């Protein structure tokens, strides 16, 4: 008996297949997109509810200023459901000595903005935020005013060439927490959300929160290698 080959459920004699390659070619080409779709990885980035993409820092003898670039859903709720997101710049100014002074903070240059910052008792800092269309890059020029003082400063990004993007950090987190992520699927749909935040301490890190409304896992990753450094709750 002559050999046979199967393709997409059909059966062909090998000699007939050789004689009909030209006729079969269009059908094979049409079948390729479906094969590619079957091998396509799930797009977890569509489930990011909050992404802190960059941090800018400046320090003087009088204060430390941190400017964060955050993409965040609204309304903001850890329920496993992703809502529409907007870009927000958040500025935190921590005085070296709390004196009760009122601070005004301004982002200068093209499209500048700013105003009076609000004191936060919980953090001991002055806070100001605003929605923006585009995040700054590399360096931000600012002016800080309080009492009779004015300081013109430049805040620089904490990122370097080796710093992972938010999307790359998420990929490492999903790989490290594969079992948790798989539990959050309902059929073919992922029913969870991610919080991916760049952090700066002695070096750069990424915090990744994985939430589905009933379960919440927190991961700390090295921001350059993606290595898992800590998990809460511990396994």
């Amino acid at each position: 008996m002559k050999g046979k080959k199967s393709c997409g459920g059909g059966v062909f004699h090998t000699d007939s297949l050789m004689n009909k390659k030209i006729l079969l070619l269009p059908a094979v080409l049409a079948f390729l997109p479906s094969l590619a779709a079957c091998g396509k990885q799930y797009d977890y980035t569509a489930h990011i509810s909050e992404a802190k993409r960059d941090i800018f820092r400046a320090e003087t003898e009088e204060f430390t200023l941190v400017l964060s670039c955050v993409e965040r859903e609204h309304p903001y709720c850890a329920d496993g459901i992703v809502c529409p997101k907007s870009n927000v710049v958040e500025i935190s100014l921590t005085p070296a000595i709390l004196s009760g002074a009122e601070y005004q903070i301004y982002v200068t240059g093209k499209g500048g903005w700013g105003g009076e910052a609000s004191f936060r008792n919980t953090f001991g800092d002055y806070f100001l935020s605003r929605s923006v269309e585009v995040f700054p890059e590399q360096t931000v020029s600012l002016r800080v005013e309080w009492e009779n003082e004015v300081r013109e400063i430049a805040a620089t990004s904490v990122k370097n060439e080796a710093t992972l993007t938010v999307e790359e950090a998420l990929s490492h987190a999903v790989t490290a927490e594969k079992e948790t992520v798989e539990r959050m699927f309902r059929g073919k749909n992922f029913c969870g959300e991610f919080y991916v935040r760049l952090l700066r301490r002695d070096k750069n890190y990424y915090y990744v929160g994985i939430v589905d409304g009933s379960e919440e896992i927190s991961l700390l990753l090295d921001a350059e290698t993606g290595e898992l450094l800590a998990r809460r709750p511990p396994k």
Side-chain angles (χ1 to χ4, degrees), residues 143-154:
R143 184 175 72 254
V144 179
E145 301 177 1
W146 74 103
E147 296 181 333
N148 296 319
E149 303 289 339
V150 177
R151 296 289 182 273
E152 300 280 350
I153 60 173

Side-chain angles (χ1 to χ4, degrees), residues 56-58 65 67 91 105-109 113 139-144 151-156:
F56 297 77
R57 289 179 57 88
L65 184 146
L67 184 150
I91 302 176
I105 306 171
Y106 299 93
V107 176
T108 57
W113 58 273
T139 304
V140 181
S141 297
L142 303 106
R143 184 175 72 254
V144 179
R151 296 289 182 273
E152 300 280 350
I153 60 173
T156 56

Side-chain angles (χ1 to χ4, degrees), residues 1 30-31 57 75 149 163 167 171 175-176 181 193 226:
M1 180 179 291
F31 189 57
R57 289 179 57 88
E149 303 289 339
T163 305
E167 290 74 17
S171 179
T175 299
V181 172
E193 60 184 335

Side-chain angles (χ1 to χ4, degrees), residues 51-70:
K52 181 179 289 188
R53 297 188 174 276
D54 207 345
I55 299 171
F56 297 77
R57 289 179 57 88
E59 189 170 353
T60 71
E61 293 181 355
E62 297 95 352
F63 58 79
T64 299
L65 184 146
V66 177
L67 184 150
S68 302
C69 299
V70 185

Side-chain angles (χ1 to χ4, degrees), residues 91-137:
I91 302 176
S92 168
L93 183 149
T94 304
I97 300 175
L98 283 176
S99 63
E102 295 182 353
Y103 286 81
Q104 291 82 42
I105 306 171
Y106 299 93
V107 176
T108 57
K110 185 178 180 181
W113 58 273
E116 185 173 340
S118 300
F119 181 71
R120 301 190 297 184
N121 285 303
T122 304
F123 300 97
D125 67 346
Y126 291 83
F127 182 79
L128 181 68
S129 67
R130 173 170 171 156
S131 297
V132 298
E133 292 295 327
V134 180
F135 289 134
E137 297 181 0

Side-chain angles (χ1 to χ4, degrees), residues 49-234:
S49 290
E50 182 183 70
K52 181 179 289 188
R53 297 188 174 276
D54 207 345
I55 299 171
F56 297 77
R57 289 179 57 88
E59 189 170 353
T60 71
E61 293 181 355
E62 297 95 352
F63 58 79
T64 299
L65 184 146
V66 177
L67 184 150
S68 302
C69 299
V70 185
E71 185 182 3
R72 181 181 292 129
E73 70 172 356
H74 182 78
Y76 187 64
C77 182
D79 54 6
I81 301 172
V82 179
C83 296
K85 298 186 289 291
S86 60
N87 294 338
V88 179
V89 167
E90 300 178 338
I91 302 176
S92 168
L93 183 149
T94 304
I97 300 175
L98 283 176
S99 63
E102 295 182 353
Y103 286 81
Q104 291 82 42
I105 306 171
Y106 299 93
V107 176
T108 57
K110 185 178 180 181
W113 58 273
E116 185 173 340
S118 300
F119 181 71
R120 301 190 297 184
N121 285 303
T122 304
F123 300 97
D125 67 346
Y126 291 83
F127 182 79
L128 181 68
S129 67
R130 173 170 171 156
S131 297
V132 298
E133 292 295 327
V134 180
F135 289 134
E137 297 181 0
Q138 297 182 339
T139 304
V140 181
S141 297
L142 303 106
R143 184 175 72 254
V144 179
E145 301 177 1
W146 74 103
E147 296 181 333
N148 296 319
E149 303 289 339
V150 177
R151 296 289 182 273
E152 300 280 350
I153 60 173
T156 56
S157 173
V158 301
K159 296 197 300 184
N160 57 50
E161 294 180 354
T163 305
L164 299 173
T165 65
V166 162
E167 290 74 17
E168 290 169 339
L170 176 61
S171 179
H172 283 281
V174 169
T175 299
E177 204 64 28
K178 182 179 178 181
E179 293 181 1
T180 299
V181 172
E182 289 179 347
R183 284 199 302 272
M184 295 181 179
F185 271 87
R186 304 296 181 268
K188 296 182 179 180
N189 298 317
F190 179 71
C191 297
E193 60 184 335
F194 301 100
Y195 299 91
V196 188
R197 302 167 187 154
L198 179 65
L199 305 176
R200 177 68 182 183
R201 298 294 183 267
D202 58 316
K203 55 181 290 187
N204 292 341
Y205 301 91
Y206 270 107
Y207 163 87
V208 180
I210 309 174
V211 183
D212 72 347
S214 60
E215 184 175 9
E216 181 172 355
I217 304 297
S218 298
L219 307 178
L220 184 68
L221 308 180
D222 185 293
E224 294 186 3
T225 66
E227 178 187 358
L228 177 61
L229 303 175
R231 182 186 190 274
R232 189 179 63 189

